[in-house]
Amino acid sequence: MKPSEYHKKGYTCGEAVIKAFNEEHNTNIPVKLGSSMGTGFTTGSLCGAIGGAAVILGYLKGRESETETNEARKYTKELMDNIAAKYGTQICKELKKNKVSCADIIEYTYSELNALQDIK
């Protein structure tokens, strides 16, 4: 199922991205990690779909120790840059002001996440 369809069913943007990713990639990232991300982390700040994607990148490419290379940051920066290039912002309030629907940003973020090279 597409992440925007999960969002229509009542999942937050972050939960929807994580749930769709788990389904498509057979991962088991806790969906509840995205529960606090709806409506731009409840204040219109960072889009929850982007937050959910960052959680996925942390899960896949994160580190357990400060001595390890933090690959998650590299992938997150690429994702953030791609979203800013398309929409001019990653901020929920600004996206809505610019008439970007939740479905649009959820699907775009998810497609950009999946397009990142070597994330698995």
Side-chain angles (χ1 to χ4, degrees):
M1 187 179 295
K2 291 170 41 169
S4 60
E5 292 171 6
Y6 284 121
H7 184 254
K8 284 180 195 169
K9 288 183 169 211
Y11 288 93
T12 69
C13 301
E15 290 169 336
V17 168
I18 295 167
K19 187 155 180 62
F21 190 89
N22 281 341
E23 184 178 281
E24 183 176 345
H25 297 281
N26 199 29
T27 51
N28 196 25
I29 302 165
V31 172
K32 65 184 175 181
L33 292 174
S35 295
S36 63
M37 297 178 191
T39 320
F41 284 75
T42 74
T43 63
S45 62
L46 179 67
C47 168
I50 300 167
V55 165
I56 292 166
L57 291 170
Y59 179 84
L60 297 174
K61 294 296 186 178
R63 60 189 185 165
E64 296 290 334
S65 162
E66 77 282 359
T67 60
E68 295 176 59
T69 302
N70 190 349
E71 291 183 24
R73 289 174 56 102
K74 173 182 82 170
Y75 291 101
T76 301
K77 179 163 181 5
E78 185 177 343
L79 177 71
M80 296 289 282
D81 289 347
N82 292 347
I83 292 166
K86 177 161 177 79
Y87 295 110
T89 186
Q90 304 96 352
I91 303 301
C92 181
K93 275 187 211 175
E94 294 172 14
L95 289 162
K96 290 187 181 298
K97 183 178 170 186
N98 295 335
K99 309 285 189 237
V100 177
S101 72
C102 290
D104 287 343
I105 189 64
I106 289 168
E107 291 301 328
Y108 184 76
T109 299
Y110 189 73
S111 69
E112 287 298 305
L113 172 67
N114 279 315
L116 294 172
Q117 297 299 308
D118 305 318
I119 60 166
K120 294 259 335 182

